[in-house]
Amino acid sequence: MSVSIQQDDFDCIDEYKLLLADAPKIGAIVTFCGLVREFDQGQGLALELEHYPQMTEKVLLGIIAEAKARWPILNVRIVHRIGRLSLSEQIVFVGVNSEHRQAAFKACHFIMDLLKTKAPFWKKAISQQGDYWLAAKACDQRAKAAWE
Amino acid sequence: MSVSIQQDDFDCIDEYKLLLADAPKIGAIVTFCGLVREFDQGQGLALELEHYPQMTEKVLLGIIAEAKARWPILNVRIVHRIGRLSLSEQIVFVGVNSEHRQAAFKACHFIMDLLKTKAPFWKKAISQQGDYWLAAKACDQRAKAAWE
Amino acid sequence: MIKILFFASLRDQLACESASLCYSQSLKNIQDVIALLSERGEIWHKQLNSASVKVAVNQEMADLHTAIKDNDEIAFFPPVTGG
Amino acid sequence: MIKILFFASLRDQLACESASLCYSQSLKNIQDVIALLSERGEIWHKQLNSASVKVAVNQEMADLHTAIKDNDEIAFFPPVTGG
């Protein structure tokens, strides 16, 4: 299991291959990739991602440990980018492998829901309508609460 | 949305890129990949996958239509291999993209659970312990029932 | 003519991949088709009347009471195990 | 010394990225730290007493009653929005 926080883009195929390396012990790989979606009716230009360095890794490793305690998963890989990201760019990758699919599906979904509400990242919208910090969403809190 | 049934291996990155092509309209891509896991205490050699040609595509397109009716997803890609597959080989890929992550997570999980119980594929185990047809699993029926 | 297909372990047990039946008005539904095929011998009777056997008519899942007509394609198979 | 960090919109509003406080035994918990920082002005008072502000001590989530000690790193920030 490993976590990378980086400005550079990542290659999903490299991340996927890392999870594939556990075959034939594993039968399932589930991946999530989050992208910069268009916003402000086409006037959004980019997101600027900031984080709290040492805490981020600590929180993400804690979330992975919690997922491992809940489901029989073998390996987890998290990559999260920081800095300025244009529309369509990759922001975050979460990949999980396991023997059976249910564990990988649930763990990957759980990790994303907890990352969204616990990992110290913040997004600033860069927009033709002006720049502004994004507000946390109530639906993300509800998604996290559903795992409790 | 598209479905491929093929003997040849598939490249996850090609499938991923197809789903990425909808950016910046989408903010989430969830993928599942199923692999041939080791079995029979290391004596398993391969799986032989058989299917019912025209019905398979019909069932899979029906499952995709059901997922689209339940969640706001944009695109779905399913690839399922047939023929003889050795340990560690890729069997099936399901990829879903959407604006928000919950829809892609749920739809991808749903499609796999329904594929497992409704799509006419059968697996024969090729093993040093002898060849045999795999039996359907009760847990797969329960996973499907949980979506009703 | 009605085309009948058998898949996977069921095909192996019956040693038969496909068969054709002449359509007649006495073949109203799947139950009638199974009754007719069961006359082929003990193994046919046993396998086609098993609680686990699945049936599709024209590539759509069906059951014992599904009506059939001339030129239908009927498939019998065990529970699916793909993915 | 206690190191204080501010992130994202909170840092922008306070126009302050980091600060240091001399540790003293009167600084028992986060509440005491907020009281001391609030003396810096109206904006500090308002922002640090907001219901939405989050706090971490040594990179672990904390609350008003979390005890502090010398050399701790305390961070204040708005609700997270990553992923």
Side-chain angles (χ1 to χ4, degrees):
Chain A
M1 60 189 218
S2 72
V3 168
S4 300
I5 314 295
Q6 60 190 55
Q7 293 216 333
D8 293 340
D9 197 8
F10 52 85
D11 191 336
C12 277
I13 197 64
D14 293 340
E15 304 306 331
Y16 181 78
K17 278 182 183 158
L18 193 128
L19 295 166
L20 202 55
D22 290 318
K25 262 190 264 183
I26 55 155
I29 299 176
V30 174
T31 73
F32 172 84
C33 186
L35 311 164
V36 181
R37 199 162 49 85
E38 58 190 4
F39 60 98
D40 287 350
Q41 295 78 45
Q43 300 203 280
L45 302 171
L47 294 178
E48 249 173 41
L49 270 119
E50 173 180 336
H51 77 134
Y52 177 3
Q54 297 125 24
M55 184 170 171
T56 317
E57 290 81 350
K58 227 187 235 193
V59 169
L60 294 177
L61 289 171
I63 293 170
I64 291 175
E66 210 181 324
K68 285 203 160 203
R70 290 176 73 146
W71 296 283
I73 55 178
L74 264 82
N75 202 355
V76 177
R77 174 77 175 135
I78 300 180
V79 187
H80 201 300
R81 293 176 68 195
I82 50 170
R84 189 181 177 110
L85 305 179
S86 301
L87 297 190
S88 303
E89 282 199 72
Q90 301 183 130
I91 304 170
V92 57
F93 173 89
V94 175
V96 179
N97 67 21
S98 63
E99 289 187 18
H100 301 287
R101 76 186 183 286
Q102 301 298 346
F105 266 121
K106 287 178 187 165
C108 186
H109 195 166
F110 170 85
I111 290 168
M112 267 312 298
D113 283 352
L114 268 76
L115 181 156
K116 279 266 180 186
T117 48
K118 292 183 75 176
F121 291 100
W122 299 275
K123 286 190 189 122
K124 192 183 206 170
I126 311 300
S127 169
Q128 291 178 280
Q129 299 182 9
D131 302 348
Y132 56 92
W133 290 97
L134 295 189
K137 288 185 284 182
C139 63
D140 286 330
Q141 285 299 330
R142 284 195 300 272
K144 178 193 165 213
W147 292 105
E148 285 161 10
Chain B
M1 60 190 219
S2 72
V3 168
S4 299
I5 313 294
Q6 59 190 56
Q7 293 216 332
D8 293 340
D9 197 9
F10 52 85
D11 190 337
C12 277
I13 198 66
D14 294 340
E15 304 305 331
Y16 181 78
K17 277 183 184 157
L18 192 128
L19 295 166
L20 202 56
D22 290 318
K25 261 190 264 183
I26 54 154
I29 299 176
V30 174
T31 72
F32 171 86
C33 186
L35 311 163
V36 181
R37 198 162 49 85
E38 58 191 3
F39 60 98
D40 286 350
Q41 293 79 46
Q43 300 203 277
L45 302 171
L47 294 178
E48 249 173 41
L49 271 117
E50 173 181 336
H51 77 134
Y52 177 4
Q54 297 125 24
M55 184 170 172
T56 316
E57 290 82 352
K58 226 188 236 193
V59 168
L60 294 176
L61 290 171
I63 292 171
I64 292 175
E66 210 180 323
K68 287 204 158 200
R70 290 177 73 146
W71 296 284
I73 54 177
L74 264 81
N75 202 355
V76 177
R77 174 79 175 133
I78 301 179
V79 187
H80 202 300
R81 293 177 68 197
I82 50 170
R84 190 181 177 110
L85 305 179
S86 300
L87 296 190
S88 303
E89 283 199 71
Q90 301 184 129
I91 304 170
V92 57
F93 174 90
V94 175
V96 179
N97 67 21
S98 61
E99 289 187 17
H100 301 287
R101 74 185 182 288
Q102 300 297 347
F105 265 121
K106 287 178 186 165
C108 186
H109 195 166
F110 170 85
I111 290 168
M112 266 312 298
D113 283 352
L114 268 75
L115 181 156
K116 278 266 180 185
T117 47
K118 292 181 75 174
F121 291 100
W122 299 275
K123 285 189 189 122
K124 191 182 206 171
I126 310 301
S127 169
Q128 291 178 280
Q129 298 183 9
D131 303 346
Y132 55 92
W133 290 97
L134 296 188
K137 288 186 285 181
C139 63
D140 286 330
Q141 285 298 330
R142 284 194 301 272
K144 178 194 165 212
W147 293 104
E148 283 160 12
Chain C
M1 293 287 276
I2 293 176
K3 190 179 177 191
I4 319 268
L5 301 172
F6 305 98
F7 289 98
S9 57
L10 189 63
R11 179 201 52 227
D12 287 0
Q13 278 149 344
L14 299 177
C16 180
E17 201 169 296
S18 66
S20 294
L21 291 181
C22 282
Y23 178 72
S24 83
Q25 297 207 325
S26 63
L27 287 176
K28 290 192 172 51
N29 57 29
I30 294 296
Q31 206 153 23
D32 298 332
V33 173
I34 289 177
L36 190 60
L37 291 169
S38 293
E39 292 172 10
R40 295 189 173 199
E42 185 51 41
I43 185 75
W44 289 75
H45 180 84
K46 189 184 153 213
Q47 293 296 334
L48 295 178
N49 289 283
S50 151
S52 68
V53 75
K54 306 289 176 192
V55 60
V57 175
N58 300 329
Q59 300 98 43
E60 303 272 0
M61 288 308 295
D63 61 32
L64 293 178
H65 308 294
T66 303
I68 58 161
K69 57 182 194 308
D70 201 7
N71 298 313
D72 276 351
E73 177 178 289
I74 300 174
F76 292 97
F77 46 79
V80 303
T81 57
Chain D
M1 293 288 277
I2 292 177
K3 189 178 176 192
I4 319 268
L5 302 171
F6 305 98
F7 289 98
S9 56
L10 189 64
R11 178 200 53 227
D12 288 0
Q13 278 149 345
L14 299 177
C16 180
E17 201 169 297
S18 66
S20 293
L21 292 180
C22 283
Y23 178 73
S24 84
Q25 296 206 328
S26 63
L27 287 176
K28 290 193 174 48
N29 57 28
I30 294 296
Q31 206 153 22
D32 297 331
V33 174
I34 290 176
L36 190 60
L37 290 170
S38 292
E39 292 171 10
R40 296 188 173 200
E42 184 52 39
I43 184 76
W44 290 74
H45 180 84
K46 188 185 154 214
Q47 291 298 333
L48 294 178
N49 289 283
S50 151
S52 68
V53 74
K54 306 288 177 193
V55 61
V57 174
N58 300 328
Q59 302 96 42
E60 302 272 0
M61 289 308 295
D63 61 33
L64 292 179
H65 308 294
T66 303
I68 59 163
K69 56 183 194 309
D70 201 8
N71 299 313
D72 275 352
E73 177 178 290
I74 300 174
F76 292 97
F77 45 80
V80 303
T81 56

